[in-house]
Amino acid sequence: MKITEIQELIKFVSKSNVSEVELEMKDFKIIIKTGKAGQTAQPVLIQGPAATVPQVITPVAIAQPEVVKHDAEGTKTETSKATNGGDENKNYHVVKSPMIGTFYRSPGPDKPPFINVGDNIDAGQAVCIIEAMKLFNEIECDVKGKIVKVLVENATPVEYDQPLFLVDTNA
């Protein structure tokens, strides 16, 4: 089964009112669980002789749409990526992900988060870890200020240039 076929299956399950689908062929098995009927499909478990350890494949994140502004003559004046929150976040500095990977708020499962909402931070201070290809990369804040909002859930995949935190540089 090709990856495109698996992605189509994930889309189909997400759109249907099914909470779980299990597909077993002679050399592999795929299980797609949505949690509740109508929710977006969650990770897919693939097992087979090619994989000595079960692999988890998560659906690819949908890119944020671009916002293009035009002046009265129809000339393009500004292009930006849309973010959750829009105008309410424009007064804050956005700390973005420098890579694709998995976002972690703390240095370990039993350790406290690097920072919390309301914390004052300095430029160069670690704010999170992004795991990419089994390497754990500490991400540092590039400005001094106060954390206003954490935009990503712990242990979730992030994309390159995805907003992670909002920082009030006037605090």
Side-chain angles (χ1 to χ4, degrees), residues 29 36 46 69 92 126 157 171:
K29 180 178 181 180
K36 293 182 182 174
I46 300 177
K69 295 182 181 176
Y92 300 124

Side-chain angles (χ1 to χ4, degrees), residues 41 56 82 93 95 122:
V56 177
H93 175 77
V95 177
D122 293 319

Side-chain angles (χ1 to χ4, degrees), residues 27-151:
D27 57 346
F28 67 91
K29 180 178 181 180
I30 298 175
I31 301 170
I32 303 173
K33 294 181 180 181
T34 60
K36 293 182 182 174
Q39 276 188 341
T40 305
Q42 291 300 310
V44 179
L45 178 65
I46 300 177
Q47 297 175 330
T52 56
V53 178
Q55 300 174 349
V56 177
I57 300 175
T58 53
V60 177
I62 299 171
Q64 294 290 333
E66 282 194 359
V67 178
V68 180
K69 295 182 181 176
H70 297 274
D71 60 13
E73 292 86 37
T75 307
K76 186 163 103 174
T77 58
E78 184 179 339
T79 303
S80 64
K81 287 247 182 189
T83 59
N84 298 339
D87 290 339
E88 73 181 45
N89 299 337
K90 71 179 181 180
N91 295 326
Y92 300 124
H93 175 77
V94 179
V95 177
K96 296 181 180 180
S97 174
M99 64 186 69
I100 296 172
T102 304
F103 171 86
Y104 295 104
R105 291 194 59 200
S106 63
D110 56 340
K111 307 236 173 161
F114 284 103
I115 49 104
N116 291 304
V117 173
D119 288 353
N120 289 317
I121 58 169
D122 293 319
Q125 182 178 341
V127 291
C128 67
I129 288 178
I130 296 183
E131 177 190 3
M133 297 179 64
K134 304 291 182 195
L135 295 174
F136 293 86
N137 305 282
E138 274 193 6
I139 307 305
E140 298 175 349
C141 188
D142 51 348
V143 295
K144 181 179 179 178
K146 182 177 182 179
I147 297 293
V148 175
K149 190 172 186 180
V150 179
L151 302 171

